[in-house]
Amino acid sequence: MSADHAGDAADAAPISAFELRAMSALLAQGRWLCAASLLLWLAALLGLILGAAPPPWAPIAWPLSLLAGLAQLYYAIRVDFDARLLQALAESGTAAHAANRLDAALLSLGLLKPGREGRDWPRRWRGARGLLLRQALVLIVQFAALIAPFGRVWL
């Protein structure tokens, strides 16, 4: 698909400012995931530093939790960036050519690979939701790795 034809597809179904705000609001929930992750990260770090009679596999689980926390932070930054971009597009006035303006800005900043411009809104939305989902999944892995050494307490 050529860039010209892809750009036409992005403009074929214009998006409203309300839809942009709704997408931004959903993605903004990633900030709560990030806050929870930071608390878990601190707990894992304290567990490693204090080493208060941990089960034998805690020295493996807690660093895994720390690494998952770093991965979650990566996704949190990406999700928050998308949320703020969508909010800025919604506030910019006309949303009719929002996709083209977004692509032009990202291309000029070097944040979008040439040839990736012109995606339609459903595809963009799936990508943004996918990032939010990955952020949540990494948070679950982080939590599981943190509590894994204490799993017998639950059973």
Side-chain angles (χ1 to χ4, degrees), residues 61-85:
W62 288 341
L64 176 63
S65 181
L66 291 172
L67 288 174
L70 292 175
Q72 187 285 144
L73 185 59
Y74 167 77
Y75 285 119
I77 290 168
R78 299 244 348 242
V79 167
D80 191 55
F81 182 71
D82 282 354
R84 290 174 191 264
L85 278 177

Side-chain angles (χ1 to χ4, degrees), residues 33-110:
L33 299 175
C34 186
S37 176
L38 289 174
L39 289 174
L40 294 174
W41 200 85
L42 287 174
L45 188 62
L46 284 174
L48 276 175
I49 292 172
L50 298 178
W57 57 86
I60 296 169
W62 288 341
L64 176 63
S65 181
L66 291 172
L67 288 174
L70 292 175
Q72 187 285 144
L73 185 59
Y74 167 77
Y75 285 119
I77 290 168
R78 299 244 348 242
V79 167
D80 191 55
F81 182 71
D82 282 354
R84 290 174 191 264
L85 278 177
L86 293 173
Q87 186 63 34
L89 281 173
E91 293 170 358
S92 69
T94 62
H97 299 286
N100 290 337
R101 289 186 304 164
L102 177 61
D103 286 345
L106 292 175
L107 278 170
S108 70
L109 293 171

